[in-house]
Amino acid sequence: MEFKKCVRCGSFFVTEGDVCQNCMPKDKLDRFKFQDYIENNVDVSANDISINTGISMRNVNRYLSQNNNQNINL
Ligand SMILES: [Zn+2]
């Protein structure tokens, strides 16, 4: 088993993904808002996304890099 540090709250956890069980619902919600925003807006910067969705820059950048890895079109 590998211990990971939750990227949202910093607590240690053992599970799949980047966030702990406590943060998973909020992370899913943020990811949904992020996806919805980039699908409905063109030429947006990470800063625009953060300001308009209320998602922290750190999480916006994380979602962006994950999207790039999965080849999802922005
Ligand atoms: Zn957490």
Side-chain angles (χ1 to χ4, degrees):
M1 279 299 210
E2 184 192 353
F3 279 91
K4 292 188 191 169
K5 196 173 182 186
C6 174
V7 296
R8 297 189 70 110
C9 71
S11 66
F12 287 96
F13 68 104
V14 181
T15 182
E16 299 280 313
D18 297 325
V19 298
C20 70
Q21 298 283 349
N22 289 340
C23 295
M24 212 169 274
K26 197 172 189 315
D27 199 56
K28 275 187 182 160
L29 185 69
D30 279 355
R31 196 180 291 264
F32 180 81
K33 282 193 284 188
F34 167 85
Q35 202 66 41
D36 189 60
Y37 186 77
I38 61 173
E39 278 170 12
N40 291 297
N41 296 275
V42 287
D43 286 337
V44 293
S45 67
N47 199 40
D48 292 331
I49 299 171
S50 178
I51 289 168
N52 289 297
T53 60
I55 303 169
S56 72
M57 277 300 284
R58 198 166 72 156
N59 286 321
V60 168
N61 285 323
R62 182 162 56 91
Y63 299 150
L64 283 172
S65 69
Q66 286 171 351
N67 273 5
N68 288 340
N69 292 340
Q70 291 163 11
N71 278 329
I72 295 171
N73 290 327
L74 282 177

